[in-house]
């Protein structure tokens, strides 16, 4: 079925793999087939987008975002306290 590979990685095209090696390969293939479908290759367009420089966030923007996150966290805490008190 598959060519033999010795412990040093040499391939022998005239001998097949051992039965135990074949069963391990078949089990691995079965796991791959039962698993989730692999994501498609994004192609060259995605590589060009990733290569573009990222916009840097200013300190003021970061502070605004963190302040808004703190406000939302406080609101969620109030909602959870009200929910817990209503039980």
């Amino acid at each position: 079925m598959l060519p033999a590979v010795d412990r040093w990685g040499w391939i022998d095209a005239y001998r097949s793999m051992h039965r135990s090696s074949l069963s391990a390969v078949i089990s691995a293939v079965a796991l791959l087939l039962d698993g989730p479908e692999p994501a498609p290759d994004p192609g060259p367009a995605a590589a060009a987008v990733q290569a573009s420089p990222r916009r840097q966030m200013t300190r003021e923007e970061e502070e605004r975002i963190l302040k808004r996150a703190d406000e939302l966290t406080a609101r969620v805490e109030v909602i959870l306290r009200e929910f817990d008190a209503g039980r």
Side-chain angles (χ1 to χ4, degrees):
M1 280 179 76
L2 293 174
V5 178
D6 68 11
R7 62 182 172 196
W8 297 283
W10 293 99
I11 297 173
D12 184 354
Y14 301 103
R15 289 187 332 174
S16 64
M17 292 179 79
H18 191 269
R19 287 189 313 250
S20 61
S21 300
L22 280 174
S23 64
V25 169
I26 291 170
S27 297
V29 169
L31 286 174
L32 287 173
L33 292 175
D34 290 340
E37 186 174 324
D41 184 21
V49 171
Q50 291 175 355
S52 65
R54 295 187 314 204
R55 185 178 81 77
Q56 296 295 319
M57 186 183 306
T58 65
R59 184 68 185 153
E60 292 79 23
E61 288 174 314
E62 182 180 0
E63 288 174 4
R64 258 196 331 263
I65 292 169
L66 293 174
K67 182 180 175 187
R68 179 72 175 138
D70 290 340
E71 292 169 359
L72 291 172
T73 301
R75 286 177 58 193
V76 169
E77 287 175 352
V78 169
I79 292 169
L80 290 175
R81 268 190 253 119
E82 289 174 358
F83 175 76
D84 196 34
R87 284 210 231 164

